[in-house]
Amino acid sequence: CIKLGKHWRIRREALEDFLKQRERPAKLSEELRSFLSTLPAHIAIVDSSGTIVAVNQAWRDFATSNGAIVSKVMEGTNYFEVCDLATGDQSEHAAAFAEGIRSVFSGQREGFEMEYPCHSPTELRWFVGRVMPFTNGSSPRAVVIHENITEREQMERQLEHLAHELELRGMEPRGLTNQ
């Protein structure tokens, strides 16, 4: 199953079948685009060269609201190049994510998942990125999903802080952490 947000899961085989039946040559159908746009996670479909074939509305909205140069993160853009050329405070995560996608296309991994910070000037945020391959006829593709996990990350940090406070007071933090 591919996880698409907190409550959405879709069987990988079902997605592959849907894509095989619904795709027009070199272009995803409007039906698939409509389906992807209903999902809350940020989703892109990339081909084996890294070119973004399709994105959903959540992806578009995130790019727009975060001041991205929209033309650099939409259909036709090479996702590998964007990640490889990223600079700044969290750029090493972008390069690692691109390598994860490549490892899926090369067959080294069946899928890839990575948690990473993606802080903005106004808030601390964390995401999990997932990559699942599928074939559409003879052209290998991958679904790239980015999901905001900030709430979970903040809760984990609060639990770690509470556990530390209890330890300082000589109390055992039973059940507060995954230790």
Side-chain angles (χ1 to χ4, degrees):
C1 281
I2 300 171
K3 186 175 180 189
L4 305 169
K6 289 182 183 177
H7 307 289
W8 286 80
R9 290 187 185 272
I10 190 167
R11 278 189 19 255
R12 184 171 154 193
E13 297 83 17
L15 179 60
E16 288 176 359
D17 289 345
F18 181 84
L19 292 169
K20 284 178 187 173
Q21 294 171 11
R22 303 286 192 254
E23 186 167 1
R24 287 180 258 154
K27 188 174 178 184
L28 292 177
S29 71
E30 288 306 313
E31 185 176 351
L32 175 58
R33 287 179 194 282
S34 177
F35 169 73
L36 289 175
S37 288
T38 66
L39 302 173
H42 313 141
I43 300 172
I45 296 177
V46 299
D47 67 18
S48 60
S49 71
T51 301
I52 298 173
V53 176
V55 298
N56 72 343
Q57 191 61 46
W59 182 286
R60 292 177 194 287
D61 293 345
F62 184 80
T64 302
S65 68
N66 284 277
I69 299 170
V70 176
S71 63
K72 292 189 175 188
V73 292
M74 297 299 168
E75 291 91 347
T77 301
N78 189 291
Y79 195 74
F80 295 153
E81 289 176 13
V82 170
C83 291
D84 291 338
L85 298 174
T87 59
D89 280 345
Q90 296 138 18
S91 58
E92 71 275 6
H93 301 295
F97 195 74
E99 281 307 308
I101 298 171
R102 288 182 180 105
S103 72
V104 169
F105 278 120
S106 71
Q108 291 175 300
R109 297 179 185 208
E110 289 183 21
F112 177 73
E113 183 172 309
M114 181 179 121
E115 293 185 10
Y116 60 95
C118 183
H119 306 317
S120 76
T122 59
E123 65 180 319
L124 298 178
R125 303 178 298 204
W126 291 266
F127 286 80
V128 60
R130 295 183 182 92
V131 181
M132 295 300 298
F134 67 92
T135 334
N136 186 21
S138 62
S139 51
R141 304 265 172 101
V143 177
V144 176
I145 303 163
H146 295 277
E147 180 183 2
N148 189 324
I149 58 167
T150 300
E151 186 177 325
R152 188 198 79 198
E153 186 70 27
Q154 289 171 335
M155 289 173 136
E156 287 174 1
R157 288 172 186 257
Q158 287 174 349
L159 285 174
E160 288 171 6
H161 177 74
L162 289 171
H164 181 70
E165 288 291 318
L166 288 173
E167 286 175 12
L168 290 176
R169 295 178 184 175
M171 302 170 78
E172 189 174 322
R174 286 176 266 140
L176 283 182
T177 65
N178 291 331
Q179 300 174 348

